[in-house]
């Protein structure tokens, strides 16, 4: 599990980027609830899931500004550290 804070929707409130993937227990069973999520802040620190990308083994996700416009692009998930 890994999370970080980013303002994805540009409203000035930090949203949560959350990755929960395989717990490295060598299980061969895919778990449909593993993946990358964006939880959007409603401005009162209440959060609602706005994005879910299911992917096995997502141990970390990073938000990066690829085009240098000051906004984070969609997150990228990795299976390592």
């Amino acid at each position: 599990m890994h999370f970080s804070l980013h303002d994805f929707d540009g409203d000035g409130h930090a949203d949560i980027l959350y990755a929960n993937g395989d717990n490295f227990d060598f299980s061969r069973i895919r778990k449909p609830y593993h993946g990358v999520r964006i939880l959007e802040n409603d401005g009162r620190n209440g959060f609602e899931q706005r994005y879910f990308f299911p992917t096995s083994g997502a141990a970390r996700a990073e938000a990066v500004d690829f085009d240098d416009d000051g906004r984070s692009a969609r997150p990228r998930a990795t299976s390592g550290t």
Side-chain angles (χ1 to χ4, degrees):
M1 178 189 79
H2 179 266
F3 77 93
S4 56
L5 302 175
H6 305 276
D7 183 11
F8 288 105
D9 56 4
D11 65 356
H13 302 287
D15 305 310
I16 298 173
L17 173 62
Y18 175 71
N20 68 312
D22 193 73
N23 57 1
F24 304 111
D25 62 357
F26 302 106
S27 171
R28 293 179 189 255
I29 300 170
R30 291 185 180 258
K31 299 163 184 85
Y33 49 85
H34 283 178
V36 177
R37 293 170 167 77
I38 293 177
L39 306 174
E40 189 175 85
N41 188 335
D42 66 4
R44 297 176 309 230
N45 291 326
F47 295 87
E48 185 173 338
Q49 181 175 299
R50 293 291 183 192
Y51 174 83
F52 174 63
F53 182 75
T55 182
S56 298
R60 184 180 178 111
E62 293 292 334
V64 180
D65 180 7
F66 289 107
D67 57 6
D68 202 26
D69 66 354
R71 297 178 299 159
S72 295
R74 294 210 181 233
R76 176 179 181 261
T78 62
S79 59
T81 57

